[in-house]
Amino acid sequence: MKLRVLATAVLAFAVASAAARAADPRYPDWPCTQAKVPEISLAAVWAGPPLGDAETKWKDDAKISALVAKLSARKTPLEEAEKSVKEFLAASGSDKATNAKLLFAGLFDTLNAQRSQVMSGLERVSRKQRDAADKIREETLELQALQGATPRDDAKVEALSNELIWKTRIFEDRHKVVRFVCEVPTAIDQRLFALGRVIQQEME
């Protein structure tokens, strides 16, 4: 048990150190191996006509706003979202070009905001992980001292061992979640690019 606790705690600290080394030095709290791109560039995902006042007016159109909410939701399969775009623009008649720009402007705003929320959350968790790793390291050293003390207080050793096991388990669970969530900004980028491409194709 003693060796297991120490090994697990040291492993947790090693994972934290590796994550810190993998982070972009410009963004010390960024925990992902993927490069941090704070915001999607409009030019990277839109080659259509200038959006003009659509960038601010899309929110004024209830139908556009509702469709944007549906299309930007990760629970909506991309294939279904693309179909909805085509159906909406096909039914727009002479307003197709205007509605296309309004729709993309809404998607661009909404998905960029989603990315920002996810990335801020990742950095908050990263800071918690760094603090947790420091605490695990301190308590690991404390446990080593207690184990080597004479006379030895077995009750304290047992209590600290159990606490370290619990904290290390939380640390490892968070680490797994972070690895999963690190994929989300890229998925949002891909969704915006794919929907932007469909909108542009329907405008042609």
Side-chain angles (χ1 to χ4, degrees):
M1 173 65 77
K2 292 180 289 184
L3 289 175
R4 180 184 157 205
V5 171
L6 286 174
T8 310
V10 170
L11 172 65
F13 183 66
V15 167
S17 300
R21 285 195 300 274
D24 188 326
R26 294 172 299 170
Y27 308 108
D29 293 329
W30 181 243
C32 307
T33 55
Q34 299 91 331
K36 180 182 178 182
V37 180
E39 195 170 78
I40 306 171
S41 159
L42 180 61
V45 289
W46 180 252
L51 296 178
D53 59 4
E55 294 186 48
T56 55
K57 288 193 171 180
W58 70 270
K59 293 178 183 176
D60 300 332
D61 188 312
K63 196 169 184 180
I64 294 282
S65 295
L67 185 55
V68 164
K70 175 188 173 184
L71 300 179
S72 59
R74 289 194 292 281
K75 67 181 180 181
T76 303
L78 183 56
E79 188 176 325
E80 180 185 327
E82 291 175 338
K83 183 181 176 186
S84 296
V85 167
K86 292 175 182 177
E87 290 174 349
F88 172 70
L89 293 179
S92 293
S94 60
D95 293 328
K96 180 187 277 190
T98 299
N99 283 346
K101 289 193 287 185
L102 288 168
L103 182 58
F104 183 77
L107 287 169
F108 184 74
D109 270 5
T110 303
L111 290 173
N112 244 330
Q114 278 186 18
R115 281 178 89 258
S116 293
Q117 289 173 355
V118 170
M119 294 166 90
S120 294
L122 280 166
E123 290 182 325
R124 279 196 302 274
V125 173
S126 175
R127 289 190 288 271
K128 282 184 180 178
Q129 286 290 80
R130 191 163 56 233
D131 291 343
D134 288 344
K135 191 68 177 171
I136 287 170
R137 180 177 59 181
E138 289 171 10
E139 292 187 1
T140 300
L141 293 174
E142 186 181 340
L143 178 61
Q144 286 176 320
L146 284 172
Q147 288 171 333
T150 305
R152 173 172 157 147
D153 188 330
D154 287 332
K156 278 188 179 180
V157 167
E158 182 69 18
L160 188 52
S161 294
N162 290 335
E163 188 174 342
L164 264 173
I165 290 169
W166 176 247
K167 286 182 178 177
T168 304
R169 186 174 299 149
I170 292 172
F171 181 95
E172 290 171 339
D173 287 346
R174 276 189 190 148
H175 182 66
K176 290 173 187 173
V177 170
V178 165
R179 287 176 60 189
F180 172 76
V181 177
C182 278
E183 302 294 334
V184 174
T186 301
I188 292 173
D189 293 350
Q190 291 169 345
R191 175 174 286 261
L192 181 57
F193 180 78
L195 294 178
R197 183 176 52 197
V198 171
I199 292 170
Q200 288 169 78
Q201 287 171 349
E202 294 302 306
M203 290 177 75
E204 294 172 358

